[in-house]
Short mmCIF file of all heavy atoms in Angstrom, two decimals:
data_model
loop_
_atom_site.label_atom_id
_atom_site.label_comp_id
_atom_site.label_asym_id
_atom_site.label_seq_id
_atom_site.Cartn_x
_atom_site.Cartn_y
_atom_site.Cartn_z
N MET L 1 -5.42 -34.59 20.25
CA MET L 1 -5.99 -34.42 18.95
C MET L 1 -5.49 -33.13 18.32
O MET L 1 -5.41 -32.12 18.99
CB MET L 1 -7.50 -34.35 19.03
CG MET L 1 -8.15 -35.61 19.47
SD MET L 1 -9.91 -35.39 19.34
CE MET L 1 -10.31 -36.85 18.50
N ASN L 2 -5.21 -33.24 17.09
CA ASN L 2 -4.73 -32.07 16.35
C ASN L 2 -5.88 -31.53 15.51
O ASN L 2 -6.37 -32.18 14.61
CB ASN L 2 -3.55 -32.49 15.46
CG ASN L 2 -2.86 -31.29 14.88
OD1 ASN L 2 -3.25 -30.16 15.13
ND2 ASN L 2 -1.84 -31.55 14.10
N HIS L 3 -6.32 -30.34 15.85
CA HIS L 3 -7.45 -29.73 15.15
C HIS L 3 -6.96 -28.59 14.26
O HIS L 3 -7.20 -27.43 14.51
CB HIS L 3 -8.47 -29.18 16.14
CG HIS L 3 -9.13 -30.25 16.95
ND1 HIS L 3 -10.09 -31.07 16.43
CD2 HIS L 3 -8.95 -30.64 18.23
CE1 HIS L 3 -10.49 -31.91 17.36
NE2 HIS L 3 -9.80 -31.67 18.46
N ASP L 4 -6.24 -28.95 13.24
CA ASP L 4 -5.77 -27.94 12.29
C ASP L 4 -6.91 -27.62 11.32
O ASP L 4 -7.33 -28.47 10.54
CB ASP L 4 -4.55 -28.44 11.49
CG ASP L 4 -3.32 -28.54 12.36
OD1 ASP L 4 -3.23 -27.76 13.32
OD2 ASP L 4 -2.48 -29.40 12.07
N ARG L 5 -7.38 -26.43 11.40
CA ARG L 5 -8.43 -25.99 10.50
C ARG L 5 -7.89 -24.87 9.63
O ARG L 5 -7.10 -24.04 10.07
CB ARG L 5 -9.65 -25.50 11.26
CG ARG L 5 -10.33 -26.58 12.03
CD ARG L 5 -11.56 -26.07 12.69
NE ARG L 5 -12.20 -27.13 13.46
CZ ARG L 5 -13.29 -26.97 14.15
NH1 ARG L 5 -13.86 -25.79 14.22
NH2 ARG L 5 -13.81 -27.98 14.81
N HIS L 6 -8.36 -24.84 8.44
CA HIS L 6 -7.96 -23.77 7.55
C HIS L 6 -8.86 -22.57 7.82
O HIS L 6 -10.07 -22.67 7.74
CB HIS L 6 -8.11 -24.21 6.08
CG HIS L 6 -7.20 -25.35 5.73
ND1 HIS L 6 -5.86 -25.15 5.50
CD2 HIS L 6 -7.43 -26.67 5.60
CE1 HIS L 6 -5.31 -26.32 5.21
NE2 HIS L 6 -6.25 -27.27 5.28
N HIS L 7 -8.23 -21.47 8.15
CA HIS L 7 -8.99 -20.25 8.40
C HIS L 7 -8.98 -19.41 7.12
O HIS L 7 -7.95 -18.92 6.70
CB HIS L 7 -8.37 -19.46 9.55
CG HIS L 7 -8.47 -20.18 10.86
ND1 HIS L 7 -9.66 -20.27 11.54
CD2 HIS L 7 -7.56 -20.85 11.59
CE1 HIS L 7 -9.46 -20.96 12.65
NE2 HIS L 7 -8.18 -21.32 12.70
N HIS L 8 -10.15 -19.30 6.53
CA HIS L 8 -10.30 -18.50 5.32
C HIS L 8 -10.90 -17.16 5.70
O HIS L 8 -11.65 -17.05 6.66
CB HIS L 8 -11.21 -19.20 4.30
CG HIS L 8 -10.64 -20.47 3.78
ND1 HIS L 8 -9.62 -20.50 2.87
CD2 HIS L 8 -10.93 -21.77 4.05
CE1 HIS L 8 -9.31 -21.75 2.59
NE2 HIS L 8 -10.09 -22.55 3.31
N SER L 9 -10.57 -16.18 4.90
CA SER L 9 -11.18 -14.88 5.13
C SER L 9 -12.67 -14.97 4.78
O SER L 9 -13.08 -15.81 3.99
CB SER L 9 -10.50 -13.82 4.27
OG SER L 9 -10.73 -14.06 2.91
N PRO L 10 -13.49 -14.09 5.36
CA PRO L 10 -14.92 -14.15 5.07
C PRO L 10 -15.23 -13.91 3.60
O PRO L 10 -16.24 -14.39 3.10
CB PRO L 10 -15.52 -13.05 5.92
CG PRO L 10 -14.46 -12.58 6.83
CD PRO L 10 -13.16 -13.11 6.35
N MET L 11 -14.39 -13.16 2.91
CA MET L 11 -14.60 -12.87 1.49
C MET L 11 -13.55 -13.60 0.68
O MET L 11 -12.52 -13.04 0.33
CB MET L 11 -14.51 -11.37 1.24
CG MET L 11 -15.57 -10.56 1.91
SD MET L 11 -17.13 -10.69 1.08
CE MET L 11 -16.75 -9.83 -0.41
N ALA L 12 -13.77 -14.85 0.43
CA ALA L 12 -12.79 -15.63 -0.30
C ALA L 12 -13.41 -16.18 -1.59
O ALA L 12 -14.59 -16.46 -1.66
CB ALA L 12 -12.29 -16.79 0.55
N GLY L 13 -12.58 -16.28 -2.59
CA GLY L 13 -12.97 -16.95 -3.82
C GLY L 13 -14.03 -16.24 -4.63
O GLY L 13 -13.91 -15.08 -4.97
N ARG L 14 -15.09 -16.98 -4.93
CA ARG L 14 -16.12 -16.48 -5.82
C ARG L 14 -16.89 -15.31 -5.24
O ARG L 14 -17.33 -14.43 -5.97
CB ARG L 14 -17.09 -17.60 -6.17
CG ARG L 14 -16.48 -18.65 -7.04
CD ARG L 14 -17.50 -19.68 -7.39
NE ARG L 14 -16.89 -20.72 -8.21
CZ ARG L 14 -17.54 -21.77 -8.63
NH1 ARG L 14 -18.80 -21.95 -8.30
NH2 ARG L 14 -16.92 -22.67 -9.37
N ALA L 15 -17.10 -15.29 -3.94
CA ALA L 15 -17.82 -14.19 -3.32
C ALA L 15 -17.08 -12.87 -3.51
O ALA L 15 -17.68 -11.84 -3.80
CB ALA L 15 -18.04 -14.46 -1.84
N LYS L 16 -15.77 -12.91 -3.35
CA LYS L 16 -14.97 -11.71 -3.53
C LYS L 16 -15.02 -11.21 -4.97
O LYS L 16 -15.18 -10.01 -5.22
CB LYS L 16 -13.53 -12.00 -3.12
CG LYS L 16 -12.66 -10.80 -3.02
CD LYS L 16 -11.30 -11.21 -2.48
CE LYS L 16 -10.58 -10.05 -1.88
NZ LYS L 16 -9.31 -10.44 -1.29
N ILE L 17 -14.91 -12.11 -5.91
CA ILE L 17 -14.99 -11.75 -7.33
C ILE L 17 -16.36 -11.18 -7.65
O ILE L 17 -16.50 -10.19 -8.37
CB ILE L 17 -14.65 -12.96 -8.22
CG1 ILE L 17 -13.18 -13.34 -8.03
CG2 ILE L 17 -14.95 -12.67 -9.68
CD1 ILE L 17 -12.79 -14.64 -8.69
N GLY L 18 -17.41 -11.79 -7.08
CA GLY L 18 -18.76 -11.30 -7.30
C GLY L 18 -18.96 -9.88 -6.79
O GLY L 18 -19.58 -9.05 -7.45
N TRP L 19 -18.44 -9.58 -5.62
CA TRP L 19 -18.57 -8.22 -5.07
C TRP L 19 -17.77 -7.22 -5.89
O TRP L 19 -18.19 -6.08 -6.07
CB TRP L 19 -18.13 -8.19 -3.61
CG TRP L 19 -19.22 -8.62 -2.69
CD1 TRP L 19 -19.29 -9.79 -1.99
CD2 TRP L 19 -20.42 -7.90 -2.39
NE1 TRP L 19 -20.44 -9.83 -1.28
CE2 TRP L 19 -21.16 -8.68 -1.50
CE3 TRP L 19 -20.93 -6.68 -2.78
CZ2 TRP L 19 -22.39 -8.29 -0.99
CZ3 TRP L 19 -22.16 -6.28 -2.27
CH2 TRP L 19 -22.88 -7.07 -1.39
N ILE L 20 -16.61 -7.62 -6.38
CA ILE L 20 -15.81 -6.71 -7.21
C ILE L 20 -16.54 -6.41 -8.51
O ILE L 20 -16.61 -5.24 -8.93
CB ILE L 20 -14.41 -7.31 -7.46
CG1 ILE L 20 -13.61 -7.32 -6.17
CG2 ILE L 20 -13.68 -6.55 -8.55
CD1 ILE L 20 -12.30 -8.06 -6.26
N VAL L 21 -17.12 -7.43 -9.13
CA VAL L 21 -17.88 -7.22 -10.37
C VAL L 21 -19.08 -6.32 -10.11
O VAL L 21 -19.36 -5.40 -10.87
CB VAL L 21 -18.30 -8.57 -10.99
CG1 VAL L 21 -19.30 -8.39 -12.11
CG2 VAL L 21 -17.08 -9.32 -11.48
N PHE L 22 -19.78 -6.55 -9.01
CA PHE L 22 -20.93 -5.72 -8.64
C PHE L 22 -20.50 -4.27 -8.43
O PHE L 22 -21.18 -3.34 -8.89
CB PHE L 22 -21.59 -6.26 -7.37
CG PHE L 22 -22.67 -5.38 -6.84
CD1 PHE L 22 -23.90 -5.33 -7.46
CD2 PHE L 22 -22.45 -4.59 -5.73
CE1 PHE L 22 -24.91 -4.52 -6.98
CE2 PHE L 22 -23.43 -3.77 -5.24
CZ PHE L 22 -24.67 -3.73 -5.86
N ALA L 23 -19.38 -4.05 -7.75
CA ALA L 23 -18.91 -2.69 -7.48
C ALA L 23 -18.52 -1.97 -8.77
O ALA L 23 -18.79 -0.78 -8.94
CB ALA L 23 -17.72 -2.72 -6.52
N VAL L 24 -17.90 -2.69 -9.71
CA VAL L 24 -17.52 -2.08 -10.98
C VAL L 24 -18.76 -1.70 -11.79
O VAL L 24 -18.84 -0.59 -12.34
CB VAL L 24 -16.61 -3.04 -11.79
CG1 VAL L 24 -16.43 -2.56 -13.21
CG2 VAL L 24 -15.26 -3.17 -11.11
N ILE L 25 -19.75 -2.58 -11.82
CA ILE L 25 -20.99 -2.27 -12.55
C ILE L 25 -21.72 -1.11 -11.90
O ILE L 25 -22.18 -0.19 -12.58
CB ILE L 25 -21.87 -3.52 -12.64
CG1 ILE L 25 -21.21 -4.57 -13.53
CG2 ILE L 25 -23.27 -3.19 -13.16
CD1 ILE L 25 -21.89 -5.92 -13.51
N ALA L 26 -21.83 -1.10 -10.58
CA ALA L 26 -22.50 -0.01 -9.88
C ALA L 26 -21.76 1.30 -10.09
O ALA L 26 -22.38 2.35 -10.29
CB ALA L 26 -22.59 -0.34 -8.39
N GLY L 27 -20.43 1.27 -10.05
CA GLY L 27 -19.65 2.48 -10.30
C GLY L 27 -19.85 3.02 -11.70
O GLY L 27 -19.96 4.23 -11.91
N PHE L 28 -19.92 2.12 -12.67
CA PHE L 28 -20.15 2.55 -14.05
C PHE L 28 -21.49 3.25 -14.18
O PHE L 28 -21.60 4.32 -14.79
CB PHE L 28 -20.09 1.34 -14.99
CG PHE L 28 -20.57 1.66 -16.37
CD1 PHE L 28 -19.76 2.39 -17.24
CD2 PHE L 28 -21.81 1.26 -16.80
CE1 PHE L 28 -20.21 2.70 -18.52
CE2 PHE L 28 -22.26 1.56 -18.08
CZ PHE L 28 -21.45 2.29 -18.94
N TYR L 29 -22.54 2.66 -13.63
CA TYR L 29 -23.86 3.27 -13.74
C TYR L 29 -23.95 4.58 -12.96
O TYR L 29 -24.61 5.52 -13.39
CB TYR L 29 -24.95 2.30 -13.31
CG TYR L 29 -25.30 1.32 -14.38
CD1 TYR L 29 -25.06 -0.03 -14.22
CD2 TYR L 29 -25.84 1.75 -15.59
CE1 TYR L 29 -25.36 -0.93 -15.22
CE2 TYR L 29 -26.14 0.86 -16.60
CZ TYR L 29 -25.90 -0.48 -16.40
OH TYR L 29 -26.19 -1.36 -17.39
N LEU L 30 -23.29 4.65 -11.82
CA LEU L 30 -23.29 5.91 -11.07
C LEU L 30 -22.60 7.01 -11.86
O LEU L 30 -23.08 8.15 -11.91
CB LEU L 30 -22.61 5.73 -9.72
CG LEU L 30 -23.47 5.12 -8.62
CD1 LEU L 30 -22.62 4.84 -7.39
CD2 LEU L 30 -24.62 6.03 -8.26
N LEU L 31 -21.47 6.69 -12.47
CA LEU L 31 -20.76 7.70 -13.24
C LEU L 31 -21.51 8.09 -14.50
O LEU L 31 -21.56 9.27 -14.88
CB LEU L 31 -19.36 7.21 -13.59
CG LEU L 31 -18.36 7.19 -12.45
CD1 LEU L 31 -17.05 6.57 -12.90
CD2 LEU L 31 -18.12 8.58 -11.91
N SER L 32 -22.10 7.12 -15.18
CA SER L 32 -22.77 7.44 -16.44
C SER L 32 -24.07 8.18 -16.23
O SER L 32 -24.42 9.07 -17.01
CB SER L 32 -23.01 6.16 -17.24
OG SER L 32 -23.91 5.32 -16.57
N GLU L 33 -24.80 7.88 -15.18
CA GLU L 33 -26.10 8.52 -14.94
C GLU L 33 -25.98 9.83 -14.18
O GLU L 33 -26.86 10.68 -14.28
CB GLU L 33 -27.03 7.57 -14.18
CG GLU L 33 -27.38 6.32 -14.95
CD GLU L 33 -28.20 6.62 -16.19
OE1 GLU L 33 -29.01 7.56 -16.16
OE2 GLU L 33 -28.01 5.91 -17.20
N HIS L 34 -24.94 10.01 -13.40
CA HIS L 34 -24.83 11.20 -12.56
C HIS L 34 -23.62 12.05 -12.91
O HIS L 34 -23.12 12.80 -12.07
CB HIS L 34 -24.77 10.79 -11.09
CG HIS L 34 -26.00 10.09 -10.62
ND1 HIS L 34 -27.16 10.76 -10.37
CD2 HIS L 34 -26.25 8.78 -10.38
CE1 HIS L 34 -28.09 9.90 -9.98
NE2 HIS L 34 -27.56 8.68 -9.98
N ARG L 35 -23.14 11.95 -14.14
CA ARG L 35 -21.95 12.69 -14.56
C ARG L 35 -22.18 14.20 -14.45
O ARG L 35 -21.30 14.95 -14.04
CB ARG L 35 -21.56 12.32 -15.97
CG ARG L 35 -20.27 12.99 -16.42
CD ARG L 35 -19.81 12.46 -17.72
NE ARG L 35 -19.46 11.05 -17.50
CZ ARG L 35 -19.25 10.19 -18.47
NH1 ARG L 35 -19.38 10.55 -19.71
NH2 ARG L 35 -18.93 8.95 -18.21
N ALA L 36 -23.37 14.68 -14.80
CA ALA L 36 -23.65 16.11 -14.74
C ALA L 36 -23.58 16.62 -13.31
O ALA L 36 -23.06 17.71 -13.05
CB ALA L 36 -25.02 16.40 -15.34
N HIS L 37 -24.06 15.83 -12.36
CA HIS L 37 -24.00 16.24 -10.96
C HIS L 37 -22.56 16.28 -10.47
O HIS L 37 -22.16 17.19 -9.74
CB HIS L 37 -24.81 15.30 -10.08
CG HIS L 37 -26.23 15.15 -10.49
ND1 HIS L 37 -27.12 16.19 -10.50
CD2 HIS L 37 -26.92 14.07 -10.91
CE1 HIS L 37 -28.29 15.77 -10.91
NE2 HIS L 37 -28.20 14.48 -11.17
N LEU L 38 -21.80 15.26 -10.85
CA LEU L 38 -20.41 15.19 -10.40
C LEU L 38 -19.58 16.32 -10.99
O LEU L 38 -18.77 16.95 -10.29
CB LEU L 38 -19.80 13.85 -10.77
CG LEU L 38 -20.36 12.64 -10.03
CD1 LEU L 38 -19.78 11.37 -10.60
CD2 LEU L 38 -20.08 12.75 -8.55
N LEU L 39 -19.75 16.59 -12.29
CA LEU L 39 -18.97 17.65 -12.91
C LEU L 39 -19.41 19.02 -12.42
O LEU L 39 -18.61 19.95 -12.36
CB LEU L 39 -19.09 17.56 -14.43
CG LEU L 39 -18.44 16.33 -15.06
CD1 LEU L 39 -18.67 16.31 -16.57
CD2 LEU L 39 -16.97 16.28 -14.75
N GLY L 40 -20.68 19.17 -12.05
CA GLY L 40 -21.15 20.43 -11.49
C GLY L 40 -20.57 20.73 -10.12
O GLY L 40 -20.38 21.89 -9.75
N ALA L 41 -20.26 19.69 -9.36
CA ALA L 41 -19.70 19.86 -8.03
C ALA L 41 -18.18 19.93 -8.03
O ALA L 41 -17.58 20.24 -7.01
CB ALA L 41 -20.15 18.72 -7.13
N LEU L 42 -17.55 19.67 -9.16
CA LEU L 42 -16.09 19.62 -9.22
C LEU L 42 -15.42 20.92 -8.80
O LEU L 42 -14.45 20.87 -8.03
CB LEU L 42 -15.65 19.20 -10.62
CG LEU L 42 -14.18 18.92 -10.81
CD1 LEU L 42 -13.74 17.77 -9.91
CD2 LEU L 42 -13.88 18.58 -12.25
N PRO L 43 -15.87 22.11 -9.24
CA PRO L 43 -15.20 23.34 -8.78
C PRO L 43 -15.27 23.51 -7.27
O PRO L 43 -14.31 23.95 -6.64
CB PRO L 43 -15.97 24.46 -9.48
CG PRO L 43 -16.63 23.82 -10.64
CD PRO L 43 -16.89 22.40 -10.25
N PHE L 44 -16.39 23.12 -6.67
CA PHE L 44 -16.51 23.24 -5.21
C PHE L 44 -15.61 22.25 -4.50
O PHE L 44 -15.06 22.55 -3.44
CB PHE L 44 -17.96 23.05 -4.78
CG PHE L 44 -18.87 24.09 -5.37
CD1 PHE L 44 -19.79 23.74 -6.34
CD2 PHE L 44 -18.79 25.41 -4.97
CE1 PHE L 44 -20.62 24.69 -6.89
CE2 PHE L 44 -19.61 26.38 -5.52
CZ PHE L 44 -20.53 26.02 -6.48
N LEU L 45 -15.44 21.07 -5.08
CA LEU L 45 -14.55 20.08 -4.48
C LEU L 45 -13.09 20.54 -4.55
O LEU L 45 -12.31 20.30 -3.63
CB LEU L 45 -14.72 18.73 -5.16
CG LEU L 45 -16.06 18.04 -4.93
CD1 LEU L 45 -16.15 16.78 -5.77
CD2 LEU L 45 -16.25 17.74 -3.47
N LEU L 46 -12.72 21.21 -5.63
CA LEU L 46 -11.36 21.75 -5.74
C LEU L 46 -11.14 22.85 -4.71
O LEU L 46 -10.07 22.94 -4.10
CB LEU L 46 -11.10 22.26 -7.15
CG LEU L 46 -10.96 21.19 -8.22
CD1 LEU L 46 -10.86 21.83 -9.60
CD2 LEU L 46 -9.76 20.32 -7.95
N LEU L 47 -12.14 23.71 -4.52
CA LEU L 47 -12.01 24.75 -3.50
C LEU L 47 -11.94 24.15 -2.10
O LEU L 47 -11.24 24.67 -1.23
CB LEU L 47 -13.18 25.74 -3.60
CG LEU L 47 -13.14 26.67 -4.79
CD1 LEU L 47 -14.42 27.50 -4.85
CD2 LEU L 47 -11.92 27.59 -4.72
N LEU L 48 -12.67 23.09 -1.87
CA LEU L 48 -12.63 22.44 -0.57
C LEU L 48 -11.29 21.74 -0.34
O LEU L 48 -10.83 21.63 0.80
CB LEU L 48 -13.77 21.42 -0.46
CG LEU L 48 -13.89 20.65 0.84
CD1 LEU L 48 -14.20 21.61 1.98
CD2 LEU L 48 -14.96 19.60 0.73
N ALA L 49 -10.66 21.29 -1.39
CA ALA L 49 -9.38 20.58 -1.26
C ALA L 49 -8.28 21.50 -0.75
O ALA L 49 -7.38 21.04 -0.05
CB ALA L 49 -8.99 19.97 -2.60
N CYS L 50 -8.34 22.79 -1.07
CA CYS L 50 -7.27 23.70 -0.65
C CYS L 50 -7.14 23.80 0.86
O CYS L 50 -6.06 23.58 1.40
CB CYS L 50 -7.50 25.08 -1.27
SG CYS L 50 -7.35 25.10 -3.05
N PRO L 51 -8.21 24.11 1.61
CA PRO L 51 -8.03 24.17 3.07
C PRO L 51 -7.75 22.81 3.69
O PRO L 51 -7.03 22.72 4.69
CB PRO L 51 -9.35 24.75 3.59
CG PRO L 51 -10.31 24.69 2.48
CD PRO L 51 -9.54 24.58 1.22
N LEU L 52 -8.29 21.75 3.10
CA LEU L 52 -8.02 20.42 3.65
C LEU L 52 -6.55 20.05 3.49
O LEU L 52 -5.93 19.50 4.40
CB LEU L 52 -8.92 19.38 2.99
CG LEU L 52 -10.39 19.45 3.38
CD1 LEU L 52 -11.19 18.43 2.58
CD2 LEU L 52 -10.57 19.24 4.86
N MET L 53 -5.97 20.36 2.33
CA MET L 53 -4.54 20.08 2.14
C MET L 53 -3.71 20.95 3.07
O MET L 53 -2.70 20.52 3.60
CB MET L 53 -4.15 20.33 0.68
CG MET L 53 -4.63 19.26 -0.24
SD MET L 53 -3.92 19.30 -1.90
CE MET L 53 -4.05 20.98 -2.37
N HIS L 54 -4.13 22.18 3.29
CA HIS L 54 -3.39 23.07 4.19
C HIS L 54 -3.39 22.51 5.60
O HIS L 54 -2.37 22.54 6.29
CB HIS L 54 -4.02 24.46 4.17
CG HIS L 54 -3.28 25.44 5.01
ND1 HIS L 54 -2.11 26.04 4.58
CD2 HIS L 54 -3.53 25.93 6.24
CE1 HIS L 54 -1.68 26.86 5.53
NE2 HIS L 54 -2.53 26.81 6.55
N LEU L 55 -4.53 21.99 6.05
CA LEU L 55 -4.61 21.44 7.40
C LEU L 55 -3.81 20.16 7.56
O LEU L 55 -3.11 19.97 8.56
CB LEU L 55 -6.07 21.17 7.77
CG LEU L 55 -6.92 22.38 8.07
CD1 LEU L 55 -8.37 21.95 8.27
CD2 LEU L 55 -6.41 23.10 9.29
N PHE L 56 -3.92 19.26 6.60
CA PHE L 56 -3.35 17.93 6.77
C PHE L 56 -1.93 17.79 6.26
O PHE L 56 -1.25 16.81 6.58
CB PHE L 56 -4.23 16.89 6.09
CG PHE L 56 -5.56 16.73 6.75
CD1 PHE L 56 -6.72 17.07 6.09
CD2 PHE L 56 -5.64 16.26 8.05
CE1 PHE L 56 -7.95 16.93 6.71
CE2 PHE L 56 -6.86 16.11 8.68
CZ PHE L 56 -8.01 16.45 8.00
N MET L 57 -1.42 18.74 5.49
CA MET L 57 -0.09 18.55 4.91
C MET L 57 0.97 19.45 5.52
O MET L 57 2.06 19.57 4.99
CB MET L 57 -0.17 18.77 3.40
CG MET L 57 -1.05 17.73 2.72
SD MET L 57 -1.10 17.88 0.96
CE MET L 57 0.48 17.19 0.52
N HIS L 58 0.68 20.09 6.64
CA HIS L 58 1.67 20.93 7.28
C HIS L 58 2.42 20.19 8.39
O HIS L 58 3.05 20.81 9.22
CB HIS L 58 1.02 22.19 7.87
CG HIS L 58 1.05 23.34 6.94
ND1 HIS L 58 2.15 24.13 6.76
CD2 HIS L 58 0.10 23.84 6.11
CE1 HIS L 58 1.89 25.06 5.88
NE2 HIS L 58 0.64 24.91 5.46
N GLY L 59 2.37 18.89 8.41
CA GLY L 59 3.00 18.13 9.48
C GLY L 59 4.52 18.15 9.45
O GLY L 59 5.16 18.11 10.48
N GLY L 60 5.14 18.26 8.30
CA GLY L 60 6.58 18.14 8.21
C GLY L 60 7.34 19.45 8.27
O GLY L 60 8.55 19.46 8.12
N HIS L 61 6.68 20.55 8.50
CA HIS L 61 7.36 21.84 8.48
C HIS L 61 7.93 22.25 9.84
O HIS L 61 8.66 23.22 9.93
CB HIS L 61 6.42 22.95 8.01
CG HIS L 61 6.01 22.81 6.58
ND1 HIS L 61 6.90 22.93 5.55
CD2 HIS L 61 4.81 22.56 6.02
CE1 HIS L 61 6.26 22.77 4.42
NE2 HIS L 61 4.99 22.53 4.67
N GLY L 62 7.57 21.58 10.90
CA GLY L 62 8.05 21.96 12.21
C GLY L 62 7.25 23.10 12.81
O GLY L 62 7.70 23.74 13.76
N HIS L 63 6.08 23.39 12.31
CA HIS L 63 5.25 24.45 12.87
C HIS L 63 4.64 24.00 14.18
O HIS L 63 4.20 22.88 14.33
CB HIS L 63 4.10 24.80 11.91
CG HIS L 63 4.56 25.38 10.62
ND1 HIS L 63 5.05 26.66 10.53
CD2 HIS L 63 4.62 24.87 9.38
CE1 HIS L 63 5.38 26.91 9.28
NE2 HIS L 63 5.13 25.83 8.55
N GLY L 64 4.63 24.90 15.13
CA GLY L 64 3.91 24.65 16.36
C GLY L 64 4.58 23.72 17.33
O GLY L 64 3.95 23.27 18.27
N ASP L 65 5.87 23.43 17.18
CA ASP L 65 6.51 22.54 18.14
C ASP L 65 6.97 23.28 19.38
O ASP L 65 7.32 22.66 20.37
CB ASP L 65 7.65 21.76 17.49
CG ASP L 65 8.75 22.65 16.95
OD1 ASP L 65 8.59 23.88 16.98
OD2 ASP L 65 9.77 22.10 16.50
N GLY L 66 7.00 24.62 19.36
CA GLY L 66 7.33 25.40 20.54
C GLY L 66 8.81 25.46 20.86
O GLY L 66 9.21 26.06 21.86
N SER L 67 9.66 24.88 20.07
CA SER L 67 11.09 24.91 20.35
C SER L 67 11.75 26.03 19.55
O SER L 67 11.27 26.41 18.49
CB SER L 67 11.73 23.56 20.02
OG SER L 67 11.61 23.31 18.64
N PRO L 68 12.86 26.56 20.04
CA PRO L 68 13.57 27.60 19.27
C PRO L 68 14.17 27.02 18.00
O PRO L 68 14.23 25.80 17.82
CB PRO L 68 14.65 28.09 20.22
CG PRO L 68 14.83 26.98 21.21
CD PRO L 68 13.50 26.27 21.30
N ASP L 69 14.60 27.90 17.12
CA ASP L 69 15.20 27.46 15.86
C ASP L 69 16.41 26.58 16.12
O ASP L 69 17.30 26.93 16.89
CB ASP L 69 15.61 28.66 15.01
CG ASP L 69 14.41 29.42 14.50
OD1 ASP L 69 13.37 28.79 14.24
OD2 ASP L 69 14.53 30.64 14.39
N LYS L 70 16.47 25.45 15.48
CA LYS L 70 17.56 24.50 15.69
C LYS L 70 18.74 24.77 14.77
O LYS L 70 19.81 24.25 14.98
CB LYS L 70 17.04 23.09 15.46
CG LYS L 70 15.98 22.71 16.46
CD LYS L 70 15.43 21.33 16.17
CE LYS L 70 14.31 21.02 17.14
NZ LYS L 70 13.62 19.79 16.84
N GLY L 71 18.54 25.58 13.72
CA GLY L 71 19.59 25.81 12.77
C GLY L 71 20.61 26.87 13.19
O GLY L 71 21.63 27.03 12.57
N GLU L 72 20.34 27.60 14.26
CA GLU L 72 21.25 28.67 14.68
C GLU L 72 22.28 28.13 15.65
O GLU L 72 21.98 27.46 16.62
CB GLU L 72 20.46 29.79 15.36
CG GLU L 72 19.48 30.48 14.43
CD GLU L 72 18.71 31.58 15.15
OE1 GLU L 72 19.12 31.95 16.27
OE2 GLU L 72 17.73 32.05 14.60
N ASP L 73 23.55 28.41 15.39
CA ASP L 73 24.63 28.02 16.30
C ASP L 73 25.10 29.26 17.01
O ASP L 73 25.56 30.22 16.40
CB ASP L 73 25.80 27.39 15.53
CG ASP L 73 25.44 26.05 14.92
OD1 ASP L 73 24.59 25.37 15.54
OD2 ASP L 73 25.97 25.71 13.86
N LYS L 74 25.03 29.25 18.34
CA LYS L 74 25.45 30.44 19.12
C LYS L 74 26.63 30.13 19.96
O LYS L 74 26.90 29.11 20.41
CB LYS L 74 24.30 30.93 20.00
CG LYS L 74 23.19 31.49 19.17
CD LYS L 74 22.13 32.05 20.08
CE LYS L 74 21.00 32.63 19.26
NZ LYS L 74 19.96 33.18 20.05
#
């Protein structure tokens, strides 16, 4: 017997569209009702972004690999 079943994702069709519409409406009301709180916290979020970017964006510089300089020819 061939039991070919169609496997659909749990969020398919109308349910997915419904959740997207709900998320957009909820986001709109959160932004419109809490704009003063969000804008008041913005300077602190910018200050917090500086050390976070410093920690997470230093991966490509070769810091801390423990090897001698590769650019010197002796």
Side-chain angles (χ1 to χ4, degrees):
M1 294 185 132
N2 191 0
H3 294 285
D4 290 330
R5 294 184 181 179
H6 296 283
H7 294 285
H8 295 285
S9 66
M11 296 284 292
R14 291 183 182 178
K16 191 175 201 176
I17 293 171
W19 278 108
I20 291 172
V21 169
F22 173 75
V24 168
I25 293 170
F28 169 76
Y29 280 115
L30 279 173
L31 286 175
S32 65
E33 296 295 326
H34 297 285
R35 184 172 295 167
H37 304 298
L38 292 174
L39 293 178
L42 188 61
F44 298 110
L45 292 174
L46 289 173
L47 287 174
L48 180 64
C50 294
L52 289 176
M53 286 192 313
H54 183 78
L55 286 174
F56 292 115
M57 296 183 76
H58 267 280
H61 293 294
H63 295 287
D65 61 354
S67 64
D69 292 327
K70 297 177 183 173
E72 296 180 14
D73 292 329
K74 292 184 180 180

